Amino acid sequence: MEVNNMTANSSLISKEQQLASIRKSVNLVMPKKEAEAFLVDTLKMASTLPKLRAKYTDVPSSKIPKLKVKSRQIREHTGDEQPTGTGSIDTPQVPYSVRKVYWDEWIKDDDVWYNNTARGDDVETKTIDLVQGQFSVDIQDLLFNGDADAKLADGTTPDPFLSILDGFVKKMKASTIKTALGAAEPTIDDFVNHVLLLDEKYLNMTDLTWIMNRRTYQKLVALVQKRPTTLGDVTLVNGKLTEIAGYPIEVVQSLQSGFVALTPLSNLVPVFTRDLRYKRTADGATAAIKDSTYHILFAYADAVVLELEAVAWMSGDKL
């Protein structure tokens, strides 16, 4: 009996010792280098954001260079030329202005303990991983789907999440290069023909990519599988659709319906300042009754589309 009590007491002490690390209140303003590293690690947990070239800055609003592609700038040299240049290298810029965002949650001590110790993980490290993982999902959703004009179902109240900022989708919709499918079901030919809308200089970019949601992707897979023969305009690998008209596909988690775009991934730039704060507390009656710690993460972000001429997008009720 005493042995069992000793074992139980040892387990309780061990549990309390490990949970003590996350019960310590933290109000951390991260140094710039550490803040950028934290953001890089956070974005790695998202599905699509790691593939984009994020910009980290110390300035909340400024401009970043546009995506520009020019060709046929070489001329014959005769010796009589004037050093005027060709104007092939310019620095047009696109403005950005970050918005302050935050993610917060109560995390139960027992959930942390049982989920992490079962795998032999460090409690504090895995709790930070959880915070980063949840933040990464939301920030990707916001950066793609954000719309400052978004409203709730009543048509008047601003959507508390989507209205924070204008995301990539809304900004890409400003491009005049568009295929409107209306109420028609999409076909493979619609996608193949859509490619021809882009200027050839963009078609030659190595990161030109289809951006779509999971529903549209699954429809296209079904269409390809029903074909009697492969026509060479799509590529199936082990039942997965990897390319359409020679360009890879990026399925963006939680991307809104009715939208597909063909654009270089380098055309989409998430912007973050190195102003990052993480706060955690287990103090007070609320934390005690919840047997939980409260976590909150503050960051500053914006979504920038560098070149509208490099965006060809599709709209349709069935996308």
Side-chain angles (χ1 to χ4, degrees), residues 228-245:
T229 60
T230 301
L231 300 181
D233 48 17
V234 293
T235 304
L236 275 175
V237 178
N238 296 325
K240 294 183 179 180
L241 184 60
T242 59
E243 291 184 351
I244 300 177

Side-chain angles (χ1 to χ4, degrees), residues 10-65:
S10 296
S11 296
L12 182 60
I13 292 171
S14 176
K15 176 180 178 181
E16 292 304 307
Q17 287 175 338
Q18 293 199 42
L19 288 175
S21 62
I22 63 165
R23 285 175 176 163
K24 293 178 182 177
S25 293
V26 172
N27 187 358
L28 180 62
V29 179
M30 297 185 190
K32 296 185 185 303
K33 183 177 180 180
E34 285 74 9
E36 180 172 334
F38 186 93
L39 284 167
V40 170
D41 288 343
T42 299
L43 299 188
K44 285 179 181 177
M45 297 184 179
S47 60
T48 297
L49 290 182
K51 301 172 185 178
L52 307 182
R53 299 175 186 174
K55 177 177 178 60
Y56 302 97
T57 177
D58 299 326
V59 183
S61 61
S62 186
K63 296 180 179 180
I64 54 180

Side-chain angles (χ1 to χ4, degrees), residues 168-224:
F168 293 128
V169 171
K170 183 173 181 180
K171 291 180 177 180
M172 284 192 283
K173 285 181 176 179
S175 170
T176 59
I177 307 171
K178 177 183 177 183
T179 296
L181 298 180
E185 286 285 354
T187 68
I188 297 297
D189 286 343
D190 289 329
F191 283 77
V192 174
N193 294 333
H194 184 72
V195 170
L196 303 178
L197 298 180
L198 273 180
D199 190 290
E200 188 172 354
K201 62 186 177 182
Y202 299 118
L203 296 179
N204 292 326
M205 294 189 69
T206 57
D207 66 335
L208 187 63
T209 303
W210 293 100
I211 293 171
M212 65 183 66
N213 60 33
R214 177 64 60 181
R215 170 181 153 176
T216 301
Y217 171 81
Q218 292 301 145
K219 280 192 173 187
L220 293 175
V221 170
L223 287 174
V224 175

